[in-house]
Amino acid sequence: MKPRLLFGAEGWPCGIHEIASQVVRLGLAEAVIRPVGDASFDAEFLRRLMEYRPHVVGLRMENGRSEAVRQRIEQIRKRLDTTIILGGPTATSHPADVLEATGADYVFAGDAEETVAMFLRLASKPRSANFVTEIPGLTYRWADRCVVNLPEENPRSGRPVPEVSEATLRDNRLDWSLLEGFTKPLDSLYLTGGRGCPGSCTFCCRLHGRKIRTKTERQILDELRGADELVRRGKLRLTAWPLYEQTNDPRLGSLSVSWCSVFDEDFFLDRRRGIRFLQLFELYGYRNRYRLSFQTNPVSLLDAEGKPDAELFYWIGRVKAMIQLGGESFHPSLLRRWRKRHTPAQMEIVLAALDRTGQDYNVFQILTDYESTVTELRKTARLLLDAAYRHPRMRIASSPFMIPLYDTDLRRELDYRGILHIDNYTDYETAHPEWMDPAVADLADKLDEALQGALHPQRRDESLRRVEEVLR
């Protein structure tokens, strides 16, 4: 008999869906994915737990969810003697802490499609419990201590975690029949386009490494087709909005559609693949049901001569894909300190090209880092205002602080310099960096509050006026 796996997902199942599909595809297990996160979903999850009686329960750990996951595990243990595994960003950066804090049996760091499959294969063999020592990235208890199958972390650099191969990424296919009970409307479809990024931004966890591994454009389209079939049958519910109303296409402006976010650290690193996917998306008529959203870096939208890639921008404008530029500033000193791949001049070229596509787009603006002064922050805000006035279609998503989340170069640098005072791994998730200059922190908070409406076109001008008032 194959082992049974029950996965719990808060929101979209993301990597959980990839793992479950992989082990089912390989014939290693049966699997079910159900939503968790509120009282009604948790009650249904526990009911399904007793009905399905899985050999393994899998949950995902993300920032700020440690206590909720611990309580969920406690409820599972009261009902069934089963193996509980965890994965996700927090589990990857602090595997031993997460194991201790939650009471899980095993924690998987990094990409887990291949390591969970390895776990199931080895666990099924008539061997001693020592098989756990063979699985890269696994954390487990041994002789009353936590053992982490990862290299020791260097205080000035990270440690490698398991990365799924491109062969596995492309061979695997999301199995939509595994999803049950996703009746509460979600904000978006989330599809994975690939793993890895060549950048070295100081604030990035680089959880998927620097080696680029991608799905093909047809593979992503097939996954969209599978999700859309569930939506059409009412098995997966999405919220719809007039997402094209800020475009210059009157045929689309009146449509009520849902978001389809194709997640990649930088989707347009392979511009040819990006163009082919946009072409297929339009060919199959999906833009009448979804608006695409991509995260990318300005450099990835430029050709070898540093000019906007003409064909790519033609298709961005034709499909009206929402382009999101993440972790940005218009201050050159900040970009240099963050080791971003582009300059303010390249950013300006890309924003002008996005303006010409006749649609809105988004810039995720971070106002400070741990070197910021009041003078620099005031200049940062002025440069942001100038850019916003030049580019009225630019939406602004604001964050006041560069938070040293998880396994980042920024966190290691602050640790090395003795600036951080960390009592518990959850302190890395603190929204307010108390160790900053209080005057900088106070101004950043006020500017961020003023910018909260700048993500919405109808409230953008009011937000910019409020920023002007804060700077007076």
Side-chain angles (χ1 to χ4, degrees):
M1 182 181 69
K2 293 179 183 178
R4 295 182 295 275
L5 276 63
L6 175 62
F7 290 94
E10 291 198 43
W12 189 259
C14 300
I16 285 174
H17 198 183
E18 303 272 358
I19 295 166
S21 299
Q22 170 75 348
V23 298
V24 169
R25 182 179 72 88
L26 296 175
L28 298 174
E30 300 174 5
V32 171
I33 304 171
R34 290 197 65 90
V36 294
D38 62 28
S40 61
F41 278 160
D42 281 357
E44 282 299 304
F45 183 82
L46 294 172
R47 180 195 63 77
R48 188 67 164 110
L49 175 82
M50 297 308 296
E51 174 187 275
Y52 191 54
R53 305 191 72 81
H55 300 88
V56 178
V57 174
L59 301 170
R60 187 172 191 264
M61 270 288 291
E62 240 181 319
N63 60 305
R65 304 302 298 159
S66 297
E67 179 58 20
V69 171
R70 186 197 66 77
Q71 292 179 12
R72 193 165 293 129
I73 290 174
E74 187 177 86
Q75 291 299 313
I76 293 168
R77 296 234 187 264
K78 287 179 179 178
R79 290 164 172 80
L80 190 67
D81 182 16
T82 186
T83 298
I84 300 175
I85 64 175
L86 297 180
T90 310
T92 294
S93 289
H94 304 286
D97 294 319
V98 165
L99 190 73
E100 291 282 10
T102 62
D105 294 300
Y106 301 101
V107 170
F108 287 81
D111 295 334
E113 291 100 312
E114 293 170 349
T115 50
V116 169
M118 186 178 182
F119 177 85
L120 292 171
R121 286 192 182 101
L122 292 174
S124 68
K125 294 181 179 180
R127 302 173 57 188
S128 72
N130 288 335
F131 78 87
V132 295
T133 64
E134 301 179 29
I135 302 173
L138 187 70
T139 298
Y140 53 95
R141 294 179 185 84
W142 191 264
D144 296 323
R145 66 187 182 92
C146 287
V147 179
V148 183
N149 292 347
L150 289 171
E152 288 294 323
E153 182 180 5
N154 185 302
R156 299 304 301 272
S157 64
R159 57 185 177 186
V161 297
E163 298 176 4
V164 68
S165 66
E166 187 165 58
T168 294
L169 193 65
R170 291 192 174 188
D171 288 344
N172 196 15
R173 289 293 184 274
L174 293 181
D175 186 339
W176 297 98
S177 71
L178 306 182
L179 271 60
E180 290 183 359
F182 284 80
T183 55
K184 184 178 179 180
L186 298 168
D187 289 340
S188 176
L189 293 179
Y190 293 94
L191 303 176
T192 302
R195 312 277 173 88
C197 176
S200 57
C201 301
T202 59
F203 52 80
C204 182
C205 305
R206 292 192 284 280
L207 291 174
H208 302 294
R210 292 184 177 175
K211 183 180 178 182
I212 309 304
R213 293 142 291 151
T214 62
K215 296 181 179 179
T216 68
E217 64 276 10
R218 288 200 171 273
Q219 186 179 357
I220 303 169
L221 187 77
D222 286 344
E223 294 180 352
L224 171 57
R225 185 181 295 114
D228 184 59
E229 179 61 27
L230 287 191
V231 172
R232 288 178 179 273
R233 290 164 45 201
K235 300 290 186 180
L236 188 63
R237 299 180 62 195
L238 300 172
T239 305
W241 299 275
L243 299 179
Y244 290 113
E245 66 180 350
Q246 300 300 322
T247 73
N248 62 358
D249 190 334
R251 298 168 299 169
L252 297 174
S254 60
L255 291 178
S256 185
V257 300
S258 300
W259 284 115
C260 177
S261 299
V262 183
F263 178 77
D264 236 319
E265 276 88 345
D266 185 345
F267 185 79
F268 292 106
L269 281 168
D270 183 345
R271 288 197 295 274
R272 298 305 101 189
R273 180 192 66 154
I275 291 168
R276 291 191 297 267
F277 178 70
L278 293 172
Q279 292 169 337
L280 290 169
F281 183 82
E282 186 192 41
L283 177 65
Y284 286 93
Y286 284 117
R287 74 171 179 169
N288 293 326
R289 293 173 53 74
Y290 303 98
R291 188 178 183 193
L292 287 171
S293 173
F294 300 105
Q295 179 175 297
T296 191
N297 180 280
V299 170
S300 298
L301 304 178
L302 302 174
D303 62 21
E305 298 179 355
K307 298 177 181 178
D309 186 295
E311 187 180 10
L312 175 59
F313 275 95
Y314 169 79
W315 281 101
I316 289 173
R318 186 178 177 98
V319 174
K320 303 303 181 198
M322 168 65 79
I323 301 300
Q324 303 200 59
L325 304 174
E328 295 296 349
S329 174
F330 292 89
H331 198 301
S333 295
L334 284 170
L335 291 184
R336 282 195 298 271
R337 288 204 298 266
W338 298 347
R339 299 203 300 266
K340 295 286 285 186
R341 289 189 288 140
H342 64 282
T343 65
Q346 290 171 315
M347 179 82 155
E348 183 65 27
I349 291 170
V350 166
L351 296 185
L354 288 170
D355 288 337
R356 293 191 290 272
T357 66
Q359 63 175 327
D360 50 332
Y361 50 91
N362 183 38
V363 171
F364 178 51
Q365 166 83 21
I366 302 176
L367 294 168
T368 66
D369 67 6
Y370 295 86
E371 306 292 338
S372 294
T373 64
V374 169
T375 299
E376 182 187 76
L377 177 53
R378 294 180 68 86
K379 178 67 176 298
T380 297
R382 281 290 173 197
L383 290 170
L384 173 63
L385 285 174
D386 291 346
Y389 292 140
R390 287 195 304 273
H391 305 288
R393 290 188 180 275
M394 183 178 79
R395 298 177 180 232
I396 304 165
S398 173
S399 177
F401 307 115
M402 177 72 75
I403 302 172
L405 283 176
Y406 311 132
D407 190 18
T408 64
D409 290 345
L410 173 65
R411 190 267 290 175
R412 283 187 289 274
E413 176 66 19
L414 295 173
D415 271 347
Y416 182 78
R417 292 163 55 191
I419 293 175
L420 288 183
H421 306 288
I422 298 298
D423 297 319
N424 185 277
Y425 77 100
T426 58
D427 290 345
Y428 290 114
E429 301 161 0
T430 302
H432 194 289
E434 297 175 355
W435 44 85
M436 279 187 73
D437 179 337
V440 177
D442 180 63
L443 179 57
D445 269 334
K446 289 177 180 176
L447 289 169
D448 179 65
E449 182 181 3
L451 284 165
Q452 287 309 297
L455 186 61
H456 310 284
Q458 298 85 349
R459 297 165 54 196
R460 182 179 179 274
D461 289 346
E462 175 193 352
S463 290
L464 299 182
R465 285 194 296 271
R466 291 183 64 194
V467 172
E468 293 275 16
E469 292 170 3
V470 171
L471 293 176
R472 286 195 186 113

